Amino acid sequence: MSDLLIRNIGTIVSGAIDQPLASGDAIVVRDGKISYVGADPESTADGIEKVVDAVGATVIPGLCDNHVHPVVGDYTPRQRQVDFIDSCLHGGVTTMISAGEPHTPGRPTDPMGVKALSIFAHKSFAKLRPSGVKVHAGAVMLEEGLTEADFEEMAAAGIRLVAEIGISGVKDPEVAATMTRWAQARGMKVMVHTGGASIPGSGVIGADFVVAVQPDVAGHTNGGPTALPLADVERILEETSARVELVHNGNVKAAAEVARLVSGRGELGRLVIGTDSPAGSGVQPLGILRVMSWIASLAEIAPEEVVAMATGNVADLHGLATGVIEVGREADLLIVDAPQGSQATDALRALAIGDTLAVASAIIDGIPRFEKSRNTPPPSRSIKIPPSLVAS
Ligand SMILES: [Zn+2]
């Protein structure tokens, strides 16, 4: 935990969809939490030795990827790749939400086995934060035979997520709906896979299934990777209260169409962004940044509102104390800018023209995690993170 002052901020994007811009040019962090947002403070920053000069760049909340498929530690057997979480941190991701751990080699499919796997994944990532990234894992994959007592036991063990329904054994909407009620009664958030099949064993799922199950999230409504018809997304919006998710591992055209549809309904608070990676399409360290630029540029939605879809909207869905720049929240922050060579002069304008943002620094609990991103283009502005401030 750390104290930090960030000053000379050009624009503060709050991450809150109702009020996406915050006024001021400084943020103070005390004990890893945001303690002040506003005009450059004299007294509120007393005693703080760690100072970052943002040189007029933009600060947004750390990105929350609503759809990842981790397994254990910073390794994905799906693409036989190590350090993918660290790579995503260099793309601005500070929080990850598991949509299930289906890539676990030899994944058990009996009730006892899936229960054990989700509790193991949850407790393992609760103890281990690869590169500081907050990974919320242990999303139980539904299999026939799970009982209400099993959900009670999992909830007591800390399980808060049900993996996207449709990629595991439960295919019957009635069984899925019954288990969803058991899960939601215990505070778990439930996702349903939508659209075409992803990998062998997953199914094709449309609006009928989602309406029958009434989940908390309709996963990858632009496809994972194959999109369902837009009319189905409209029915999901109309006949459920689920959040609708847009992912990198999907159909780009459909992402813009869904975003436009949700925007037209005045329901931008229901949109959440994820990568759906690791997957067959690989690992996309800049995936969230790229989906943000697709939505801002192709659906022509205000970039600061798009930032909220990848930060505050996800935190709100899962009840997390990150994702919004306001006093009391965990100080998970990004200093971002237009990339060098961009036709835009700042981060928000860069998103609006479809460029991928430059991440100058990712800060978790008030501690900068690197001096410069190894994965994004460099920022237009010369932002120097003192090496002494960076987590070792
Ligand atoms: Zn899926």
Side-chain angles (χ1 to χ4, degrees):
M1 295 296 170
S2 182
D3 294 354
L4 185 73
L5 166 63
I6 309 173
R7 60 170 26 138
N8 283 331
I9 301 170
T11 304
I12 300 175
V13 181
S14 71
I17 194 75
D18 298 336
Q19 208 176 341
L21 293 172
S23 56
D25 61 358
I27 296 172
V28 176
V29 177
R30 297 232 184 234
D31 289 331
K33 300 230 163 50
I34 296 167
S35 68
Y36 173 87
V37 183
D40 202 330
E42 297 299 326
S43 55
T44 41
D46 271 359
I48 294 185
E49 292 165 4
K50 296 178 177 177
V51 179
V52 171
D53 185 342
V55 206
T58 301
V59 174
I60 70 175
L63 303 176
C64 306
D65 185 339
N66 194 61
H67 197 134
V68 295
H69 290 298
V71 170
V72 63
D74 201 352
Y75 171 65
T76 172
R78 189 87 186 99
Q79 298 301 342
R80 304 187 178 112
Q81 191 172 336
V82 294
D83 290 347
F84 77 97
I85 295 173
D86 185 75
S87 286
C88 292
L89 168 71
H90 283 254
V93 174
T94 57
T95 292
M96 291 180 161
I97 311 291
S98 174
E101 293 88 32
H103 307 320
T104 305
R107 181 179 77 81
T109 53
D110 61 299
M112 180 83 84
V114 293
K115 202 165 60 168
L117 174 61
S118 58
I119 294 171
F120 164 71
H122 166 71
K123 294 199 179 221
S124 166
F125 278 106
K127 283 187 88 167
L128 172 79
R129 281 173 38 181
S131 303
V133 175
K134 300 168 180 178
V135 183
H136 299 268
V140 59
M141 302 193 62
L142 300 188
E143 296 291 348
E144 299 275 350
L146 282 168
T147 65
E148 187 164 16
D150 290 325
F151 284 83
E152 186 69 30
E153 194 178 357
M154 286 188 284
I159 300 301
R160 293 291 175 268
L161 298 164
V162 173
E164 49 177 326
I165 301 173
I167 65 171
S168 56
V170 168
K171 306 288 187 197
D172 179 323
E174 273 183 49
V175 175
T178 299
M179 291 185 183
T180 294
R181 298 291 85 72
W182 293 340
Q184 288 171 332
R186 291 162 178 83
M188 298 183 193
K189 302 299 177 188
V190 180
M191 181 186 284
V192 167
H193 168 104
T194 72
S198 53
I199 51 176
S202 75
V204 179
I205 292 180
D208 287 343
F209 189 96
V210 181
V211 169
V213 173
Q214 296 288 321
D216 299 281
V217 188
H220 48 57
T221 56
N222 65 317
T226 312
L228 71 168
L230 193 63
D232 278 43
V233 182
E234 196 155 16
R235 252 195 85 200
I236 290 167
L237 287 163
E238 199 63 49
E239 298 178 36
T240 79
S241 57
R243 308 300 211 282
V244 290
E245 186 188 62
L246 299 174
V247 300
H248 189 270
N249 178 31
N251 177 314
V252 178
K253 183 164 182 256
E257 287 171 349
V258 170
R260 240 183 262 121
L261 173 66
V262 177
S263 175
R265 295 170 57 96
E267 296 183 311
L268 288 182
R270 290 176 73 176
L271 271 179
V272 291
I273 295 176
T275 53
D276 189 4
S277 80
S281 65
V283 172
Q284 301 94 26
L286 308 186
I288 300 291
L289 293 173
R290 285 166 54 76
V291 178
M292 287 162 59
S293 69
W294 297 346
I295 298 173
S297 61
L298 300 175
E300 299 183 320
I301 294 173
E304 60 271 25
E305 293 178 328
V306 176
V307 169
M309 296 169 198
T311 57
N313 282 4
V314 179
D316 184 48
L317 162 61
H318 295 286
L320 306 177
T322 181
V324 176
I325 298 181
E326 67 179 6
V327 171
R329 294 263 184 165
E330 294 161 8
D332 303 334
L333 306 163
L334 306 182
I335 303 175
V336 293
D337 197 8
Q340 255 178 39
S342 174
Q343 298 165 72
T345 52
D346 63 28
L348 293 181
R349 288 184 180 90
L351 282 175
I353 64 169
D355 277 345
T356 301
L357 291 184
V359 175
S361 186
I363 295 161
I364 299 180
D365 295 325
I367 302 172
R369 301 299 307 192
F370 49 74
E371 284 176 67
K372 59 181 69 156
S373 167
R374 69 165 190 271
N375 286 333
T376 71
S380 294
R381 290 168 177 78
S382 173
I383 301 154
K384 302 250 185 309
I385 310 299
S388 61
L389 304 191
V390 175
S392 48

PDB file of all heavy atoms in Angstrom, residues 15 25 40 83 102-103 128 171 182 195 218 222 235 244-245 257 266 270 288 290 340-342 350 377 382-383 389 392:
ATOM      1  N   GLY A  15     -14.766   6.843 -14.878  1.00  0.00           N
ATOM      2  CA  GLY A  15     -15.193   5.442 -14.925  1.00  0.00           C
ATOM      3  C   GLY A  15     -16.643   5.242 -14.511  1.00  0.00           C
ATOM      4  O   GLY A  15     -17.182   4.149 -14.639  1.00  0.00           O
ATOM      5  N   ASP A  25      -7.085  18.406 -11.632  1.00  0.00           N
ATOM      6  CA  ASP A  25      -5.859  18.004 -12.327  1.00  0.00           C
ATOM      7  C   ASP A  25      -4.918  17.210 -11.425  1.00  0.00           C
ATOM      8  O   ASP A  25      -3.744  17.052 -11.725  1.00  0.00           O
ATOM      9  CB  ASP A  25      -5.147  19.240 -12.894  1.00  0.00           C
ATOM     10  CG  ASP A  25      -4.733  20.232 -11.812  1.00  0.00           C
ATOM     11  OD1 ASP A  25      -5.041  19.983 -10.625  1.00  0.00           O
ATOM     12  OD2 ASP A  25      -4.102  21.253 -12.153  1.00  0.00           O
ATOM     13  N   ASP A  40      -5.017  20.834  -7.974  1.00  0.00           N
ATOM     14  CA  ASP A  40      -3.739  20.464  -7.354  1.00  0.00           C
ATOM     15  C   ASP A  40      -3.701  20.941  -5.904  1.00  0.00           C
ATOM     16  O   ASP A  40      -3.762  22.136  -5.629  1.00  0.00           O
ATOM     17  CB  ASP A  40      -2.572  21.063  -8.148  1.00  0.00           C
ATOM     18  CG  ASP A  40      -1.283  20.283  -7.885  1.00  0.00           C
ATOM     19  OD1 ASP A  40      -1.129  19.732  -6.783  1.00  0.00           O
ATOM     20  OD2 ASP A  40      -0.440  20.232  -8.796  1.00  0.00           O
ATOM     21  N   ASP A  83       3.073 -15.780 -18.538  1.00  0.00           N
ATOM     22  CA  ASP A  83       3.075 -14.328 -18.324  1.00  0.00           C
ATOM     23  C   ASP A  83       2.032 -13.586 -19.154  1.00  0.00           C
ATOM     24  O   ASP A  83       2.214 -12.416 -19.483  1.00  0.00           O
ATOM     25  CB  ASP A  83       4.471 -13.731 -18.606  1.00  0.00           C
ATOM     26  CG  ASP A  83       5.488 -14.142 -17.547  1.00  0.00           C
ATOM     27  OD1 ASP A  83       5.056 -14.659 -16.491  1.00  0.00           O
ATOM     28  OD2 ASP A  83       6.694 -13.955 -17.768  1.00  0.00           O
ATOM     29  N   PRO A 102     -12.170 -23.307 -18.190  1.00  0.00           N
ATOM     30  CA  PRO A 102     -12.395 -24.507 -19.003  1.00  0.00           C
ATOM     31  C   PRO A 102     -11.116 -25.085 -19.600  1.00  0.00           C
ATOM     32  O   PRO A 102     -11.119 -26.223 -20.066  1.00  0.00           O
ATOM     33  CB  PRO A 102     -13.318 -24.000 -20.126  1.00  0.00           C
ATOM     34  CG  PRO A 102     -12.976 -22.562 -20.265  1.00  0.00           C
ATOM     35  CD  PRO A 102     -12.664 -22.095 -18.874  1.00  0.00           C
ATOM     36  N   HIS A 103     -10.031 -24.307 -19.597  1.00  0.00           N
ATOM     37  CA  HIS A 103      -8.808 -24.795 -20.227  1.00  0.00           C
ATOM     38  C   HIS A 103      -7.956 -25.632 -19.277  1.00  0.00           C
ATOM     39  O   HIS A 103      -6.853 -26.042 -19.640  1.00  0.00           O
ATOM     40  CB  HIS A 103      -7.980 -23.619 -20.764  1.00  0.00           C
ATOM     41  CG  HIS A 103      -8.747 -22.699 -21.672  1.00  0.00           C
ATOM     42  ND1 HIS A 103      -9.650 -23.153 -22.608  1.00  0.00           N
ATOM     43  CD2 HIS A 103      -8.769 -21.342 -21.772  1.00  0.00           C
ATOM     44  CE1 HIS A 103     -10.182 -22.119 -23.246  1.00  0.00           C
ATOM     45  NE2 HIS A 103      -9.679 -21.011 -22.747  1.00  0.00           N
ATOM     46  N   LEU A 128      -2.498 -15.272  -4.861  1.00  0.00           N
ATOM     47  CA  LEU A 128      -1.468 -14.905  -5.841  1.00  0.00           C
ATOM     48  C   LEU A 128      -2.028 -13.852  -6.780  1.00  0.00           C
ATOM     49  O   LEU A 128      -3.031 -14.089  -7.442  1.00  0.00           O
ATOM     50  CB  LEU A 128      -1.070 -16.137  -6.662  1.00  0.00           C
ATOM     51  CG  LEU A 128      -0.149 -15.846  -7.853  1.00  0.00           C
ATOM     52  CD1 LEU A 128       1.287 -15.671  -7.389  1.00  0.00           C
ATOM     53  CD2 LEU A 128      -0.247 -16.935  -8.905  1.00  0.00           C
ATOM     54  N   LYS A 171     -26.923 -28.084 -20.499  1.00  0.00           N
ATOM     55  CA  LYS A 171     -27.406 -27.498 -21.759  1.00  0.00           C
ATOM     56  C   LYS A 171     -28.901 -27.215 -21.707  1.00  0.00           C
ATOM     57  O   LYS A 171     -29.433 -26.508 -22.564  1.00  0.00           O
ATOM     58  CB  LYS A 171     -27.145 -28.469 -22.931  1.00  0.00           C
ATOM     59  CG  LYS A 171     -25.696 -28.935 -23.074  1.00  0.00           C
ATOM     60  CD  LYS A 171     -24.777 -27.843 -23.591  1.00  0.00           C
ATOM     61  CE  LYS A 171     -23.382 -28.401 -23.888  1.00  0.00           C
ATOM     62  NZ  LYS A 171     -22.380 -27.340 -24.011  1.00  0.00           N
ATOM     63  N   TRP A 182     -30.263 -20.675  -7.592  1.00  0.00           N
ATOM     64  CA  TRP A 182     -29.493 -21.065  -6.403  1.00  0.00           C
ATOM     65  C   TRP A 182     -28.263 -20.169  -6.262  1.00  0.00           C
ATOM     66  O   TRP A 182     -27.919 -19.734  -5.161  1.00  0.00           O
ATOM     67  CB  TRP A 182     -29.031 -22.529  -6.518  1.00  0.00           C
ATOM     68  CG  TRP A 182     -30.127 -23.545  -6.469  1.00  0.00           C
ATOM     69  CD1 TRP A 182     -31.395 -23.382  -5.971  1.00  0.00           C
ATOM     70  CD2 TRP A 182     -30.059 -24.901  -6.934  1.00  0.00           C
ATOM     71  NE1 TRP A 182     -32.105 -24.543  -6.104  1.00  0.00           N
ATOM     72  CE2 TRP A 182     -31.314 -25.500  -6.692  1.00  0.00           C
ATOM     73  CE3 TRP A 182     -29.054 -25.671  -7.539  1.00  0.00           C
ATOM     74  CZ2 TRP A 182     -31.591 -26.828  -7.018  1.00  0.00           C
ATOM     75  CZ3 TRP A 182     -29.332 -26.987  -7.865  1.00  0.00           C
ATOM     76  CH2 TRP A 182     -30.581 -27.563  -7.608  1.00  0.00           C
ATOM     77  N   GLY A 195     -24.433 -16.742 -28.786  1.00  0.00           N
ATOM     78  CA  GLY A 195     -23.923 -16.824 -30.149  1.00  0.00           C
ATOM     79  C   GLY A 195     -23.479 -18.229 -30.497  1.00  0.00           C
ATOM     80  O   GLY A 195     -23.902 -19.209 -29.877  1.00  0.00           O
ATOM     81  N   ALA A 218     -25.179 -11.403 -20.281  1.00  0.00           N
ATOM     82  CA  ALA A 218     -25.201 -12.110 -21.552  1.00  0.00           C
ATOM     83  C   ALA A 218     -23.803 -11.951 -22.138  1.00  0.00           C
ATOM     84  O   ALA A 218     -23.415 -10.867 -22.564  1.00  0.00           O
ATOM     85  CB  ALA A 218     -26.253 -11.515 -22.489  1.00  0.00           C
ATOM     86  N   ASN A 222     -21.369  -9.889 -29.071  1.00  0.00           N
ATOM     87  CA  ASN A 222     -20.846  -9.716 -30.432  1.00  0.00           C
ATOM     88  C   ASN A 222     -20.120 -10.981 -30.888  1.00  0.00           C
ATOM     89  O   ASN A 222     -19.395 -10.959 -31.884  1.00  0.00           O
ATOM     90  CB  ASN A 222     -19.896  -8.512 -30.522  1.00  0.00           C
ATOM     91  CG  ASN A 222     -18.633  -8.694 -29.700  1.00  0.00           C
ATOM     92  OD1 ASN A 222     -18.713  -9.175 -28.574  1.00  0.00           O
ATOM     93  ND2 ASN A 222     -17.485  -8.317 -30.232  1.00  0.00           N
ATOM     94  N   ARG A 235     -33.909  -8.659 -27.950  1.00  0.00           N
ATOM     95  CA  ARG A 235     -34.812  -9.398 -27.051  1.00  0.00           C
ATOM     96  C   ARG A 235     -34.211  -9.556 -25.661  1.00  0.00           C
ATOM     97  O   ARG A 235     -34.891  -9.452 -24.645  1.00  0.00           O
ATOM     98  CB  ARG A 235     -35.095 -10.794 -27.632  1.00  0.00           C
ATOM     99  CG  ARG A 235     -36.496 -10.952 -28.183  1.00  0.00           C
ATOM    100  CD  ARG A 235     -36.816 -12.418 -28.401  1.00  0.00           C
ATOM    101  NE  ARG A 235     -37.311 -13.075 -27.187  1.00  0.00           N
ATOM    102  CZ  ARG A 235     -37.287 -14.395 -27.007  1.00  0.00           C
ATOM    103  NH1 ARG A 235     -36.786 -15.187 -27.928  1.00  0.00           N
ATOM    104  NH2 ARG A 235     -37.768 -14.915 -25.890  1.00  0.00           N
ATOM    105  N   VAL A 244     -24.996  -6.646 -20.980  1.00  0.00           N
ATOM    106  CA  VAL A 244     -24.577  -7.234 -22.248  1.00  0.00           C
ATOM    107  C   VAL A 244     -23.100  -6.932 -22.453  1.00  0.00           C
ATOM    108  O   VAL A 244     -22.640  -5.817 -22.233  1.00  0.00           O
ATOM    109  CB  VAL A 244     -25.418  -6.738 -23.445  1.00  0.00           C
ATOM    110  CG1 VAL A 244     -26.824  -7.287 -23.368  1.00  0.00           C
ATOM    111  CG2 VAL A 244     -25.440  -5.240 -23.530  1.00  0.00           C
ATOM    112  N   GLU A 245     -22.389  -7.968 -22.855  1.00  0.00           N
ATOM    113  CA  GLU A 245     -20.940  -7.873 -22.923  1.00  0.00           C
ATOM    114  C   GLU A 245     -20.463  -7.826 -24.368  1.00  0.00           C
ATOM    115  O   GLU A 245     -21.042  -8.473 -25.244  1.00  0.00           O
ATOM    116  CB  GLU A 245     -20.354  -9.108 -22.227  1.00  0.00           C
ATOM    117  CG  GLU A 245     -18.849  -9.083 -22.078  1.00  0.00           C
ATOM    118  CD  GLU A 245     -18.349 -10.413 -21.557  1.00  0.00           C
ATOM    119  OE1 GLU A 245     -18.541 -11.441 -22.263  1.00  0.00           O
ATOM    120  OE2 GLU A 245     -17.762 -10.433 -20.475  1.00  0.00           O
ATOM    121  N   GLU A 257     -22.646  -2.604 -33.730  1.00  0.00           N
ATOM    122  CA  GLU A 257     -24.120  -2.635 -33.839  1.00  0.00           C
ATOM    123  C   GLU A 257     -24.772  -2.776 -32.468  1.00  0.00           C
ATOM    124  O   GLU A 257     -25.759  -2.097 -32.157  1.00  0.00           O
ATOM    125  CB  GLU A 257     -24.556  -3.790 -34.753  1.00  0.00           C
ATOM    126  CG  GLU A 257     -24.259  -3.520 -36.229  1.00  0.00           C
ATOM    127  CD  GLU A 257     -24.485  -4.739 -37.122  1.00  0.00           C
ATOM    128  OE1 GLU A 257     -24.666  -5.858 -36.594  1.00  0.00           O
ATOM    129  OE2 GLU A 257     -24.463  -4.573 -38.346  1.00  0.00           O
ATOM    130  N   GLY A 266     -30.595   4.171 -24.350  1.00  0.00           N
ATOM    131  CA  GLY A 266     -30.202   4.917 -23.144  1.00  0.00           C
ATOM    132  C   GLY A 266     -29.781   4.019 -21.999  1.00  0.00           C
ATOM    133  O   GLY A 266     -30.004   4.322 -20.834  1.00  0.00           O
ATOM    134  N   ARG A 270     -25.486  -0.855 -19.011  1.00  0.00           N
ATOM    135  CA  ARG A 270     -25.569  -2.318 -19.133  1.00  0.00           C
ATOM    136  C   ARG A 270     -24.433  -2.903 -19.962  1.00  0.00           C
ATOM    137  O   ARG A 270     -24.311  -4.120 -20.054  1.00  0.00           O
ATOM    138  CB  ARG A 270     -26.912  -2.719 -19.765  1.00  0.00           C
ATOM    139  CG  ARG A 270     -28.088  -2.469 -18.844  1.00  0.00           C
ATOM    140  CD  ARG A 270     -29.416  -2.785 -19.519  1.00  0.00           C
ATOM    141  NE  ARG A 270     -29.635  -4.236 -19.663  1.00  0.00           N
ATOM    142  CZ  ARG A 270     -30.754  -4.762 -20.159  1.00  0.00           C
ATOM    143  NH1 ARG A 270     -31.744  -3.968 -20.545  1.00  0.00           N
ATOM    144  NH2 ARG A 270     -30.888  -6.076 -20.260  1.00  0.00           N
ATOM    145  N   ILE A 288      -8.660  -5.059 -24.456  1.00  0.00           N
ATOM    146  CA  ILE A 288      -9.659  -4.130 -23.906  1.00  0.00           C
ATOM    147  C   ILE A 288      -9.498  -2.749 -24.546  1.00  0.00           C
ATOM    148  O   ILE A 288     -10.480  -2.110 -24.945  1.00  0.00           O
ATOM    149  CB  ILE A 288      -9.523  -4.025 -22.366  1.00  0.00           C
ATOM    150  CG1 ILE A 288      -9.726  -5.398 -21.711  1.00  0.00           C
ATOM    151  CG2 ILE A 288     -10.511  -2.999 -21.806  1.00  0.00           C
ATOM    152  CD1 ILE A 288     -11.118  -5.950 -21.786  1.00  0.00           C
ATOM    153  N   ARG A 290      -8.432  -2.087 -27.427  1.00  0.00           N
ATOM    154  CA  ARG A 290      -8.896  -2.132 -28.821  1.00  0.00           C
ATOM    155  C   ARG A 290     -10.418  -2.141 -28.910  1.00  0.00           C
ATOM    156  O   ARG A 290     -11.002  -1.438 -29.743  1.00  0.00           O
ATOM    157  CB  ARG A 290      -8.284  -3.345 -29.531  1.00  0.00           C
ATOM    158  CG  ARG A 290      -6.803  -3.125 -29.876  1.00  0.00           C
ATOM    159  CD  ARG A 290      -6.085  -4.404 -30.268  1.00  0.00           C
ATOM    160  NE  ARG A 290      -6.748  -5.104 -31.351  1.00  0.00           N
ATOM    161  CZ  ARG A 290      -6.700  -4.741 -32.641  1.00  0.00           C
ATOM    162  NH1 ARG A 290      -6.002  -3.669 -32.994  1.00  0.00           N
ATOM    163  NH2 ARG A 290      -7.332  -5.434 -33.554  1.00  0.00           N
ATOM    164  N   GLN A 340       2.127   8.045 -29.843  1.00  0.00           N
ATOM    165  CA  GLN A 340       3.027   8.854 -30.686  1.00  0.00           C
ATOM    166  C   GLN A 340       2.664   8.676 -32.150  1.00  0.00           C
ATOM    167  O   GLN A 340       2.504   7.546 -32.628  1.00  0.00           O
ATOM    168  CB  GLN A 340       4.470   8.401 -30.476  1.00  0.00           C
ATOM    169  CG  GLN A 340       5.291   9.342 -29.638  1.00  0.00           C
ATOM    170  CD  GLN A 340       6.710   8.805 -29.413  1.00  0.00           C
ATOM    171  OE1 GLN A 340       7.316   8.230 -30.319  1.00  0.00           O
ATOM    172  NE2 GLN A 340       7.207   8.973 -28.205  1.00  0.00           N
ATOM    173  N   GLY A 341       2.512   9.788 -32.847  1.00  0.00           N
ATOM    174  CA  GLY A 341       2.176   9.719 -34.271  1.00  0.00           C
ATOM    175  C   GLY A 341       0.688   9.762 -34.540  1.00  0.00           C
ATOM    176  O   GLY A 341       0.263   9.805 -35.696  1.00  0.00           O
ATOM    177  N   SER A 342      -0.125   9.719 -33.477  1.00  0.00           N
ATOM    178  CA  SER A 342      -1.577   9.772 -33.657  1.00  0.00           C
ATOM    179  C   SER A 342      -1.983  11.128 -34.223  1.00  0.00           C
ATOM    180  O   SER A 342      -1.339  12.150 -33.970  1.00  0.00           O
ATOM    181  CB  SER A 342      -2.276   9.555 -32.311  1.00  0.00           C
ATOM    182  OG  SER A 342      -3.676   9.750 -32.444  1.00  0.00           O
ATOM    183  N   ALA A 350      -8.047  10.200 -29.306  1.00  0.00           N
ATOM    184  CA  ALA A 350      -7.444   9.024 -29.956  1.00  0.00           C
ATOM    185  C   ALA A 350      -8.454   7.882 -30.023  1.00  0.00           C
ATOM    186  O   ALA A 350      -8.591   7.217 -31.058  1.00  0.00           O
ATOM    187  CB  ALA A 350      -6.185   8.595 -29.206  1.00  0.00           C
ATOM    188  N   PRO A 377       1.881   1.354 -27.875  1.00  0.00           N
ATOM    189  CA  PRO A 377       2.791   2.362 -28.434  1.00  0.00           C
ATOM    190  C   PRO A 377       3.141   3.376 -27.350  1.00  0.00           C
ATOM    191  O   PRO A 377       2.422   3.510 -26.363  1.00  0.00           O
ATOM    192  CB  PRO A 377       1.954   3.009 -29.543  1.00  0.00           C
ATOM    193  CG  PRO A 377       0.552   2.578 -29.332  1.00  0.00           C
ATOM    194  CD  PRO A 377       0.560   1.364 -28.489  1.00  0.00           C
ATOM    195  N   SER A 382       5.827  13.262 -22.980  1.00  0.00           N
ATOM    196  CA  SER A 382       6.986  12.634 -22.349  1.00  0.00           C
ATOM    197  C   SER A 382       6.720  12.490 -20.855  1.00  0.00           C
ATOM    198  O   SER A 382       6.997  13.392 -20.070  1.00  0.00           O
ATOM    199  CB  SER A 382       8.223  13.492 -22.623  1.00  0.00           C
ATOM    200  OG  SER A 382       9.306  12.988 -21.900  1.00  0.00           O
ATOM    201  N   ILE A 383       6.146  11.353 -20.480  1.00  0.00           N
ATOM    202  CA  ILE A 383       5.767  11.115 -19.078  1.00  0.00           C
ATOM    203  C   ILE A 383       6.830  10.229 -18.440  1.00  0.00           C
ATOM    204  O   ILE A 383       7.102   9.132 -18.927  1.00  0.00           O
ATOM    205  CB  ILE A 383       4.380  10.427 -19.010  1.00  0.00           C
ATOM    206  CG1 ILE A 383       3.333  11.309 -19.682  1.00  0.00           C
ATOM    207  CG2 ILE A 383       4.000  10.122 -17.569  1.00  0.00           C
ATOM    208  CD1 ILE A 383       2.146  10.562 -20.217  1.00  0.00           C
ATOM    209  N   LEU A 389       9.713   4.674  -7.808  1.00  0.00           N
ATOM    210  CA  LEU A 389       8.307   4.496  -7.437  1.00  0.00           C
ATOM    211  C   LEU A 389       7.734   3.162  -7.885  1.00  0.00           C
ATOM    212  O   LEU A 389       6.670   2.736  -7.453  1.00  0.00           O
ATOM    213  CB  LEU A 389       7.436   5.604  -8.059  1.00  0.00           C
ATOM    214  CG  LEU A 389       7.776   7.058  -7.771  1.00  0.00           C
ATOM    215  CD1 LEU A 389       6.661   7.969  -8.231  1.00  0.00           C
ATOM    216  CD2 LEU A 389       8.048   7.268  -6.284  1.00  0.00           C
ATOM    217  N   SER A 392       8.883  -3.424  -7.221  1.00  0.00           N
ATOM    218  CA  SER A 392      10.004  -4.263  -7.629  1.00  0.00           C
ATOM    219  C   SER A 392       9.515  -5.687  -7.862  1.00  0.00           C
ATOM    220  O   SER A 392       8.495  -6.095  -7.384  1.00  0.00           O
ATOM    221  CB  SER A 392      11.086  -4.258  -6.552  1.00  0.00           C
ATOM    222  OG  SER A 392      10.504  -4.495  -5.300  1.00  0.00           O
TER     223      SER A 392
END
